[in-house]
Amino acid sequence: MDATTMADAILAALGGAGNVRGVTHCATRVRVDPAESARVDVPALARIPGVLAAQVVGDRVQIVVGPGRVEAVSAAVRHGAGSTTAPAHRGRLSARTIGVLVDVFTPLLPAFVAGGLLTALHNVLAGPGVFGDTAVVDTLTWLRGPVALVGLVGAAVFALLPVLLGFSAAGRFGGSPYLGAAMGAALVAAPGLAADSALPAIHLTPETGWVIAGVDVLAIDYQGTVVPIIAICFVLARLERFFARRTSGSARLLLVPLLTLLTTGLLAFLVLGPALRFLGDAAAQGMEWLYTGAGVLGGALVGAVYSPLVVTGLHQGLIAIELGLLSTGGSFIFPIAAAANGAQAAASLAVWLCARRGTRLRALAATATAPAALGIAEPAMFGVTLRLRVPFLIAVGATAVSAALLAAWRVEAVTLGAAGLLGFASIAPGSVGPFLVCLAVSMLLSFGGTLAWARWRRRRGRPIDGEDPRRSGDETAILSPVAGRRVAVESLADRAFAASALGPTAAVAPESGLITAPVAGTVSAVAATAHAYGITTDGGTEVLVHIGIDTVRLNGDGFRPLVRAGDRVAAGDPLARADLDAIVAAELDPVVLTIVTEAGARTFAPIDGETRVVAGTPVLRPIGSPENM
């Protein structure tokens, strides 16, 4: 059940939208202030699919839905009731932006890896200069058909990238993935569908044209772009929810997708797409101006911005400039792209060497390194370096140094090819040696810098894969985030927590206010009132640390967060400091709860042990783990 449908059912059980005076939420539950408590049907609330528990505490209704969807459900209830609340803490803009990109691209990594390797194989077999002056397919002509098919399958992943991104991004923003894919398909298919031979019914003559409101719709190429479709899906998801809230029954099924696609399509082709494509073209022209007008410094600056442009997809604006440069003698863009891809490959290789065996990060690095070395860097960027941030920045710096040398030696390509280790086949004959030197500089700096950073992290007890000598929460026990005395979960005053409605739970009465991470992973959520913290391990296990019962009432007083959403933490790293005296003075229970809210296919259970625990003592373990045998 989606958030909007849940909200409709919740409002009905609350006695209607008019019975709701205010809506807030904490890390796990929607909190509603009803105008008349007698009109609230608590059993009906508890029966709603997606509601884990419902209870009335004082004059407030608490609806437990879990940390994964509490914000969406709370917002939907708030909109349905017409009430307002304070915005939740969202973390730093940079962390949120990177988080969105990683979330959108991570499901697509298998397609990127396969497409990258197939494209690289095609380039090796079909490109002249790799194994001599003649391409392999020209020597072995019977290979032309199979190699062309390999190239088609590989290139389709990137040429039709907006379709894949539309599916992934729309789901990430809470919209229909299929509507997102439809918008991506519209972006890349518009020129072909409008051609006479493809779909004559929508063909327009040059006199009537495809110029709408001053925008030449078919003149903008969206193949391989990233930012336009992500921005479009952000708008699509909100429009879909907007129309869903204003329709019901069979009309919702018919009208919501129709109005969503129609409205989003107009905005996409007339506003968002052209504006963002213009930004890409402007960035490309700015890079050309820098490189040609600022010498070595310009080369360094272009090298520094190339990989960030690839992350956003704005590097597609370089294609037209590169083709123009090739037609007039040579292109500086290709050798810089090769240096950037080589740097990403080297950083990914260093991560592979430093990550521990069996971790997801090591597996991603292993599969992403080869495509990056052969010219397809997206798997390495989105699966490895950008996720860890520092390796990405190291690779950017290495590319900048290499690009400065490329500019100093005036290295240029005379044809297109694989922008990676095999890129020498596309370089002007007299510049192949300098090109290989610059490529080696880029890769060595990136590899050495990432290796040094990873080892420095390990010496500090914070290895890059999130594991430490106390072992990762992905495979073994989840640790106590605080020192204190074990508390029987079923004895807790809060019925939802006592019933472990959110998932397997461990409770400790704390002796100190220092709260540490129970597992290694990424901080996925920090409550606006700083009393709850969500951590997602690299294996996908989601763990919630909840400080006190009903402490959301303190509005953050007595809590000091030490991390932000998007931060990487190792088990035992500080998460927050809590003023236990302030919590007790407010007549609230300061018990610290550790809850596995999402365990995938595994099941966790409490670990029995001594009454007193220290921070780092195992309190929950997956059933079937070695400790159980």
Side-chain angles (χ1 to χ4, degrees):
M1 182 179 289
D2 60 37
T4 302
T5 306
M6 281 187 66
D8 292 342
I10 288 172
L11 288 171
L14 289 171
N19 194 41
V20 176
R21 294 188 303 182
V23 181
T24 58
H25 70 85
C26 64
T28 62
R29 58 193 76 190
V30 180
R31 298 169 182 265
V32 179
D33 293 317
E36 299 179 30
S37 298
R39 294 169 57 184
V40 177
D41 189 343
V42 175
L45 282 171
R47 289 194 298 269
I48 297 173
V51 172
L52 304 177
Q55 60 190 25
V56 177
V57 179
D59 295 329
R60 177 173 290 179
V61 181
Q62 297 185 0
I63 307 163
V64 183
V65 297
R69 59 195 319 187
V70 65
E71 290 190 7
V73 174
S74 178
V77 173
R78 191 163 55 247
H79 282 297
S83 54
T84 60
T85 187
H89 173 73
R90 300 281 183 175
R92 293 171 294 184
L93 178 61
S94 60
R96 282 186 286 147
T97 302
I98 292 175
V100 167
L101 289 173
V102 170
D103 289 346
V104 169
F105 275 90
T106 295
L108 306 180
L109 288 178
F112 282 169
V113 171
L117 290 173
L118 289 173
T119 301
L121 177 61
H122 172 269
N123 291 342
V124 169
L125 297 176
V130 178
F131 297 106
D133 296 333
T134 304
V136 173
V137 293
D138 292 332
T139 303
L140 305 174
T141 55
W142 60 271
L143 276 177
R144 287 179 180 172
V147 170
L149 180 59
V150 168
L152 171 66
V153 176
V157 174
F158 302 98
L160 303 180
L161 184 59
V163 180
L164 299 176
L165 287 175
F167 187 91
S168 182
R172 167 61 176 78
F173 294 129
S176 166
Y178 300 98
L179 294 182
M183 280 309 310
L187 288 181
V188 298
L193 289 178
D196 276 330
S197 59
L199 198 59
I202 62 172
H203 175 69
L204 297 179
T205 64
E207 291 74 21
T208 55
W210 275 84
V211 177
I212 305 173
V215 177
D216 190 343
V217 173
L218 300 186
I220 304 174
D221 182 12
Y222 295 102
Q223 286 195 11
T225 57
V226 173
V227 172
I229 186 60
I230 292 179
I232 288 165
C233 286
F234 178 82
V235 173
L236 179 145
R238 275 147 184 78
L239 286 173
E240 186 179 5
R241 290 198 290 271
F242 173 82
F243 292 125
R245 288 195 300 268
R246 284 156 178 79
T247 54
S248 60
S250 58
R252 174 180 293 176
L253 180 64
L254 175 67
L255 293 177
V256 169
L258 171 65
L259 294 175
T260 300
L261 274 186
L262 176 62
T263 310
T264 306
L266 291 172
L267 291 172
F269 281 104
L270 302 182
V271 181
L272 294 173
L276 293 170
R277 187 67 209 210
F278 170 79
L279 288 177
D281 294 341
Q285 293 169 6
M287 288 178 65
E288 182 184 21
W289 176 83
L290 272 175
Y291 192 88
T292 56
V296 173
L297 177 60
L301 291 174
V302 171
V305 302
Y306 182 82
S307 291
L309 285 179
V310 173
V311 170
T312 62
L314 295 179
H315 70 299
Q316 295 295 330
L318 297 171
I319 294 176
I321 291 177
E322 185 163 28
L323 292 175
L325 292 171
L326 290 173
S327 67
T328 59
S331 168
F332 67 88
I333 297 173
F334 180 90
I336 291 178
N341 293 339
Q344 294 294 332
S348 182
L349 178 62
V351 169
W352 175 76
L353 290 175
C354 293
R356 299 192 181 195
R357 292 183 179 180
T359 61
R360 185 167 180 264
L361 180 63
R362 183 181 172 91
L364 285 172
T367 56
T369 298
L374 295 173
I376 306 297
E378 283 85 352
M381 286 183 180
F382 293 105
V384 182
T385 63
L386 191 62
R387 182 186 297 270
L388 297 175
R389 301 187 193 178
V390 173
F392 180 80
L393 296 176
I394 291 172
V396 166
T399 304
V401 174
S402 179
L405 295 175
L406 289 168
W409 286 331
R410 307 303 299 175
V411 176
E412 294 181 338
V414 293
T415 183
L416 294 177
L421 294 179
L422 301 178
F424 65 87
S426 301
I427 301 299
S431 297
V432 172
F435 168 78
L436 293 176
V437 170
C438 293
L439 187 60
V441 167
S442 177
M443 297 184 71
L444 287 173
L445 287 177
S446 182
F447 179 82
T450 303
L451 196 66
W453 169 77
R455 289 179 174 176
W456 173 77
R457 290 261 308 188
R458 187 175 294 278
R459 285 197 301 270
R460 296 187 65 207
R462 299 183 62 181
I464 58 174
D465 51 23
E467 297 180 358
D468 66 5
R470 286 170 291 185
R471 305 154 80 178
S472 166
D474 281 350
E475 301 298 336
T476 58
I478 293 173
L479 312 179
S480 173
V482 69
R485 177 180 52 82
R486 294 179 194 262
V487 174
V489 173
E490 57 273 15
S491 69
L492 296 174
D494 184 285
R495 293 201 302 271
F497 286 140
S500 297
L502 294 172
T505 303
V508 175
E511 295 176 351
S512 73
L514 178 62
I515 312 299
T516 62
V519 291
T522 301
V523 178
S524 53
V526 176
T529 50
H531 73 291
Y533 300 80
I535 301 175
T536 302
T537 71
D538 290 338
T541 301
E542 298 176 8
V543 180
L544 176 70
V545 178
H546 196 284
I547 309 169
I549 293 179
D550 211 23
T551 45
V552 67
R553 289 166 43 189
L554 297 177
N555 293 318
D557 292 341
F559 297 96
R560 181 161 64 92
L562 303 178
V563 294
R564 296 182 179 181
D567 286 352
R568 292 282 303 180
V569 293
D573 283 353
L575 290 180
R577 286 193 178 276
D579 186 341
L580 301 183
D581 293 336
I583 296 174
V584 174
E587 299 182 351
L588 298 174
D589 187 349
V591 65
V592 176
L593 307 174
T594 308
I595 308 169
V596 181
T597 58
E598 176 57 55
R602 296 187 298 174
T603 301
F604 280 79
I607 296 177
D608 295 330
E610 296 181 2
T611 300
R612 187 183 179 281
V613 299
V614 297
T617 299
V619 290
L620 292 166
R621 48 146 163 69
I623 294 177
S625 65
E627 291 90 345
N628 242 1
M629 300 178 180

